[in-house]
Amino acid sequence: MAIKTRSEIKFNIGMDENNVPEEINWSAEGSERAEGHEAKAMMIALYDEKEENTLRIDLWKKDLMVEEMMKFTCQNIITLADAFARATGEDAYADEIREFGKSIAIKMGVLGPKK
């Protein structure tokens, strides 16, 4: 299959003298904001087909609070379930992943229980 278009996503990480991130900026072609976006943390997972392994890039700014990381992690679990469902059609498994994300978020206190 021939590639019809390409898009580029750029990350710019500003670090202190100990290589700890102080700034995380990203931009993507076609994004609504041409000047880019700021972020406090990022988690990127890439699947290596040849090695059948997941490669990760996890970065967070040194001023990220523990509660923010808890919320960010739980949100990642929940949205991972959404991507899994779209890619596989395995809605039942996605629901289990999503419910785990919500359950652990409630236990951590970053998401209130359903009313």
Side-chain angles (χ1 to χ4, degrees), residues 8-100:
E8 189 171 275
I9 301 171
K10 295 180 183 180
F11 295 94
N12 189 310
I13 313 301
M15 295 175 282
D16 68 10
E17 64 279 354
N18 297 312
N19 291 325
V20 175
E22 290 188 329
E23 245 179 35
I24 300 173
N25 295 296
W26 66 277
S27 61
E29 292 176 10
S31 175
E32 293 175 7
R33 290 188 278 170
E35 75 277 3
H37 308 269
E38 291 181 37
K40 212 165 185 183
M42 62 186 264
M43 293 181 182
I44 301 172
L46 306 162
Y47 183 70
D48 184 323
E49 180 182 19
K50 184 177 177 183
E51 297 292 325
E52 295 185 356
N53 195 16
T54 299
L55 309 172
R56 298 191 45 88
I57 300 170
D58 300 324
L59 295 174
W60 55 91
K61 290 171 47 175
K62 61 180 166 185
D63 66 343
L64 182 73
M65 304 301 288
V66 171
E67 185 173 314
E68 291 174 308
M69 179 53 97
M70 289 175 168
K71 185 178 286 188
F72 178 56
T73 300
C74 293
Q75 289 171 344
N76 266 284
I77 293 168
I78 293 165
T79 58
L80 176 66
D82 298 339
F84 178 79
R86 283 193 314 274
T88 66
E90 295 286 350
D91 293 334
Y93 292 131
D95 287 342
E96 285 189 46
I97 296 167
R98 198 176 291 109
E99 284 307 312
F100 169 75

